[in-house]
Amino acid sequence: MRKAIAAAMTRAKRTIPHFYLSETIDVDPAIAFLEERNAGLPPDRRILLGALFVRAATLAATRVQAMNGHYVEDRGFVPSEVVNPGVAIALRGGGLVAPALIDAVSMTLEETMAGMRDLVSRARAGRLRASEMTQGTITVSSLGETGAEAMTGVIFPPQVALVGIGAPHLRPWVVAGVVVPRHVVTLTLSADHRVSDGRQVARFIAAFEDLVQTPESL
Amino acid sequence: MTETDHRAVFLEELCRVAPDIDPATVGDDDHIQEDLELDSMDVLNLVAALHARLGIDIPERDYPEISTARLAAAYLSSQGAAR
C-alpha cells in the first residue's frame, strides 16, 4: 500500500505542475438542511455532509470541463464526458484509497450517499473493483467532521484536479453586515497547470460554493 | 438483554463495519473515532447495523452516547428497556 502511494504521488509531483486556489465557505445552511432532513429518518437514509460535498463537486465538474478528465502523455488533456469522482478513504493502519463513484451526475443526493457508503464498506473489506481504482476523473478528499481546517492535496494521476475540503470549524463570519458564529470549511482546489488556469479553477470554486449554499438544489 | 449482551452485539457490529479490527483488542473506553479510527461513514454504517439488529434507532444527537463500548452498552440497554 505504502509503495503504491509512494509511486503515484512521486509521479504526480514529478510530472504535474500543481497550482492551488482556496476559498472558505459558510456551511451552516448545508448543516441545517441535513439536520432537518435527517431528523425524521432511519439511519440508512440519513445523509452526511461529505456526500453533499461530493454531489456539489460532481455538478461543479460538469460546468468546468478542464477539471474533469485525464492527462495522457501523448495526447494531452482528454476531458471526460462522465464525472466519476474518486472518493478518498483513509485506511486504518495507514494509507488511503480513492475509488470512483461511476457516473455520479446521474445520481440523486440520496444515491450519491448510498454509493459512498457502499464504497467505504467495500474499501474496509478489501472488495473494491479494479475499474473503480482507475476510472476516477476528479478526486474529492474531505477530512470529515474533525481534524485540520485545510488540506492542499496531491493530484492523483492521470487526473488533473483534486478537491481538498477541511473539517468544519466554528468561526466569526460576516453575514449581511453582522459578525455571527458560523461553521465554515476551507476548500482548496489542486489543479494541473498544463490543463487549466486560475480563472477556470475560480469558476469551479464559485459553482461549488453556490451549490453548497443552496443544498436543496442538489 | 443485559449490558453484557449489548456490549457483545455492539462489538460484533463494530467489527463487521470495520473488519480489520480484532474485537479482542477493543478496550471498554476506546473511542470509536479517535482510537479505532472509524470515519463518519463507518459510524453511520454502525448505527444502521444496530438499528437493523436491535430495532433501536439512534438519532444523530445521541451518537456521542455510543462512542465507546462502555457507553454504548449502557445506552443500548436503557434504550432497549424503554421500548
Side-chain angles (χ1 to χ4, degrees), chain A residues 10-24:
Chain A
T10 304
R11 180 181 154 206
K13 280 287 190 174
R14 277 212 188 109
T15 61
I16 303 174
H18 286 68
F19 72 107
Y20 313 93
L21 267 73
S22 292
E23 177 79 15
T24 299

Side-chain angles (χ1 to χ4, degrees), chain B residues 15-70:
Chain B
C15 294
R16 197 166 290 165
V17 166
D20 49 337
I21 292 177
D22 175 358
T25 66
V26 177
D28 265 348
D29 296 315
D30 284 351
H31 192 285
I32 58 173
Q33 288 183 280
E34 282 157 28
D35 298 315
L36 303 177
E37 299 183 13
L38 264 63
D39 67 17
S40 49
M41 199 69 74
D42 296 321
V43 172
L44 182 65
N45 281 333
L46 174 61
V47 168
L50 292 170
H51 182 228
R53 174 96 175 253
L54 301 170
I56 298 171
D57 185 353
I58 306 167
E60 287 184 322
R61 65 174 179 279
D62 283 356
Y63 287 2
E65 304 286 337
I66 59 151
S67 59
T68 69
R70 189 191 307 277

Side-chain angles (χ1 to χ4, degrees), chain A residues 124-205:
Chain A
R124 302 276 180 243
R127 288 204 310 267
L128 294 170
R129 300 180 192 106
S131 60
E132 289 167 339
M133 303 309 292
T134 56
Q135 290 179 8
T137 59
I138 181 171
T139 302
V140 180
S141 184
S142 83
L143 291 176
E145 287 151 22
T146 56
E149 67 180 23
M151 171 193 31
T152 305
V154 180
I155 297 168
F156 185 57
Q159 295 169 27
V160 297
L162 177 140
V163 184
I165 302 167
H169 281 63
L170 192 61
R171 295 280 185 261
W173 206 246
V174 180
V175 179
V178 181
V179 179
V180 291
R182 284 286 170 114
H183 291 90
V184 299
V185 299
T186 299
L187 175 154
T188 302
L189 206 107
S190 308
D192 183 338
H193 231 325
R194 297 171 300 184
V195 177
S196 62
D197 303 301
R199 188 184 298 257
Q200 286 141 310
V201 175
R203 267 178 45 221
F204 181 97
I205 292 175

Side-chain angles (χ1 to χ4, degrees), chain B residues 6 10 50 54 56 58 66 71-81:
Chain B
H6 280 112
F10 177 78
L50 292 170
L54 301 170
I56 298 171
I58 306 167
I66 59 151
L71 288 170
Y75 177 82
L76 294 172
S77 293
S78 71
Q79 294 298 308

